[in-house]
Amino acid sequence: MPSPAVYRSPQGLASATTALFALHGAAALGSAAVLLAQYAAGGSSSAEADWLATVVGSVEYLLFLGSAAVFLPWMYRVRVNAEVIYPHGQQRARVLAVVGWFIPFAGIWFPWRVANDVWRASAPAGEHGVPQPVPARAGHVWWVSLMLSWLLFFLGTESLGSEASLHYADSRREALGILVAGELLTLAAMVSGLLMVRRLTAMQEAHAARARAAWAPPVTA
C-alpha cells in the first residue's frame, strides 16, 4: 500500500528538466542539420561527416539519458502531489508514472494517461473544489511528437544499416530523410515538453501557495 501523499515542491526538478529538455532540443536540431547536409549531398558520406554525425548523436544520447534521469522523478513527484491537490482524479497507480514507460506496448499509453490525469487534477479549482478544464495542448503535442520521433528513429536506423543503404545512394538518402524528420520531431517534443513541465509545475505551486495562505495564522496588530 503506498504511503500517504505529501505535497513536495516540484520546482527544482522542473528547472533541471526544462534545462535538459532545452539542451536536448538544441542537440536534436544540430543532429538534424548534420544529417540534412548528408541528405543534400545526395546521400554520399565521408569520414569527417560520419565522425561529426557520431559525435552529435552521442551528445544527444547523453542528453536524452540526462533528461530521463530528472524527468521521471519530476513526473513521480507531480503524480503524488496530484493526490494531495485533488485525491479523486487519479485513475492509475503512482508507480506507473515511472514503471509505465518500461512496460512493453503499454508504454505507449500509460505514461500519457498518467500525465493527463495529473494535469486535470492540478488545474485551478472551480466550484466545490473540482478542477476546471484547462487545455493540455502542450502535453498532447509532446506525447505525439515523442512517440513519432522514436518510431522514425527506429525506422531510419534500420534503413540506414540495411544492405540497400550500403550500396545505393538513393536508399541511404531516404534513410537520412527519415532520421531528419525524427530529429525535428524530437525538437518539437522537447519544446512542447518544456512548456508542459513549466505549466504543470506552476499550477501545482499555485495550489500549494493558496493552501499555505489558507492555513497561515491571522496577523494581529
Side-chain angles (χ1 to χ4, degrees), residues 20-36 56-61 63-64 149 179-191:
L20 282 165
F21 275 14
L23 291 173
H24 188 182
L29 184 60
S31 185
V34 171
L35 294 168
L36 189 59
V56 175
S58 298
V59 170
E60 185 180 358
Y61 180 67
L63 288 170
F64 165 76
S149 70
L179 290 173
V180 168
E183 295 291 1
L184 294 178
L185 281 168
T186 298
L187 173 60
M190 292 303 102
V191 172

